[in-house]
Amino acid sequence: MKLVLWDFDWSLINENSDYYVVQELGDPHTIEMQKNYDRHAKTFTVLMREVFNDMCIRLGRTQEDFEKCLSKIPVFDENLGVIKSLHAHGVVQEVVSDANAYLIDTVLKSYNVRGAISTIRSHRAEWIEDEGSNGAECLYVSQLHGEDQPAHNCDVCPRHLCKGVVVQKSLESAQQREDSDCISHIAYVGDGYGDFCALRQILRYAQEKKGVKIALCIRKGYPLEKVVQQKAQLLPPRADRHFQFWENGRELSSILSNHVLA
């Protein structure tokens, strides 16, 4: 079987969904909350829980407001096209993201590609009634790792999410879909620091399962491009032969089509 794993912000979409929502629906106070939080005191996911709560309670933003906003978030047309093409050819696709499941699900539905994505692996998020605000609903986000969920032991990733752990679950789940020893093709699309551990996990898998073809699609000019150079010693030898650099949807679509569908 063939597997494509998508990071979301600045990879599947051409924007950061958390920042986009705050810029479009927030005010100077919420923008300041997001910009100047203490990274040692709380994780970004906990921060966004507080920001969303403030937007819903103080500013009165609703689920309808969020969905209308997210329906306009920038996405490369070619990304949408290749997602549909991969799906038509039976390729399993998942999203592995540090955003949250509600934002991702809403965007995918808005662009009519939700059915092409089998699984969203991200922080849990749901609309719940706030007891102290006369029944107003708030978007509540829960960390994928830590808090009420098991912590990860990775010394590279932030404490609220290790994409290496998440990708390992993706690979295990994908293998269970087929009566075969390994997946034949894997592609990962990413741009950020947090994607580095995902790449490491895929490279380890490829070492263990001989014959699997991998393409690690790294966005040019974004943090992941520097990280794979700065932390090359943490990767297997000759890992860079699997790197595919892309700048826009046209380039990424071509890479995925040539690697996965050829």
Side-chain angles (χ1 to χ4, degrees):
M1 68 166 294
K2 299 178 179 181
L3 176 67
V4 174
L5 302 175
W6 293 87
D7 171 47
F8 192 64
D9 295 331
W10 299 116
S11 293
L12 193 156
I13 64 172
N14 194 31
E15 183 55 88
N16 181 302
S17 53
D18 284 305
Y19 282 90
Y20 182 82
V21 167
V22 173
Q23 287 291 329
E24 295 296 316
L25 297 179
D27 67 357
H29 175 69
T30 50
I31 292 171
E32 188 68 17
M33 284 178 67
Q34 191 180 52
K35 182 178 179 181
N36 293 319
Y37 82 101
D38 184 349
R39 288 165 172 78
H40 299 288
K42 66 184 71 172
T43 67
F44 187 74
T45 305
V46 170
L47 167 72
M48 289 312 303
R49 180 193 305 161
E50 297 172 356
V51 170
F52 289 146
N53 182 270
D54 182 69
M55 290 169 61
C56 295
I57 301 303
R58 186 175 60 82
L59 299 181
R61 303 307 187 203
T62 65
Q63 185 172 353
E64 182 179 357
D65 293 328
F66 273 69
E67 292 176 359
K68 184 178 180 181
C69 171
L70 290 166
S71 70
K72 301 174 183 177
I73 201 165
V75 183
F76 289 124
D77 289 339
E78 295 89 347
N79 283 12
L80 301 174
V82 78
I83 288 171
K84 293 175 182 177
S85 178
L86 293 168
H87 179 61
H89 285 82
V91 177
V92 176
Q93 299 179 83
E94 297 188 0
V95 171
V96 177
S97 173
D98 195 14
N100 71 65
Y102 168 75
L103 298 183
I104 297 166
D105 183 72
T106 301
V107 171
L108 295 178
K109 286 178 178 175
S110 295
Y111 284 98
N112 299 313
V113 291
R114 180 62 184 90
I117 304 296
S118 64
T119 307
I120 296 171
R121 301 185 188 273
S122 186
H123 306 292
R124 302 175 307 283
E126 60 181 334
W127 287 89
I128 62 173
E129 185 175 315
D130 184 84
E131 296 179 356
S133 58
N134 297 320
E137 285 196 330
C138 299
L139 181 58
Y140 186 88
V141 186
S142 302
Q143 288 183 184
L144 192 60
H145 295 145
E147 290 193 307
D148 61 338
Q149 298 297 314
H152 64 75
N153 297 315
C154 177
D155 58 359
V156 174
C157 294
R159 64 185 184 273
H160 64 294
L161 178 67
C162 171
K163 287 193 175 182
V165 173
V166 177
V167 164
Q168 177 61 32
K169 291 182 178 180
S170 293
L171 295 171
E172 291 172 354
S173 176
Q175 283 192 171
Q176 292 171 4
R177 290 171 172 262
E178 299 285 331
D179 296 326
S180 60
D181 290 335
C182 69
I183 304 154
S184 63
H185 294 69
I186 304 171
Y188 186 91
V189 181
D191 69 280
Y193 182 89
D195 295 305
F196 179 74
C197 210
L199 269 55
R200 287 204 303 173
Q201 186 60 49
I202 293 170
L203 288 163
R204 288 194 199 105
Y205 180 87
Q207 283 186 312
E208 296 170 2
K209 306 288 186 179
K210 304 300 182 183
V212 60
K213 298 179 180 179
I214 64 174
L216 305 176
C217 306
I218 299 168
R219 190 165 187 184
K220 298 174 187 175
Y222 284 72
L224 184 58
E225 183 179 16
K226 285 187 177 180
V227 174
V228 295
Q229 297 171 351
Q230 295 170 347
K231 297 184 179 292
Q233 73 279 5
L234 299 179
L235 300 174
R238 299 179 61 217
D240 57 351
R241 72 185 188 276
H242 300 295
F243 296 166
Q244 299 285 340
F245 296 95
W246 62 281
E247 189 170 9
N248 52 49
R250 178 181 54 80
E251 292 180 359
L252 178 59
S253 175
S254 176
I255 291 168
L256 291 175
S257 296
N258 292 333
H259 174 74
V260 181
L261 298 181

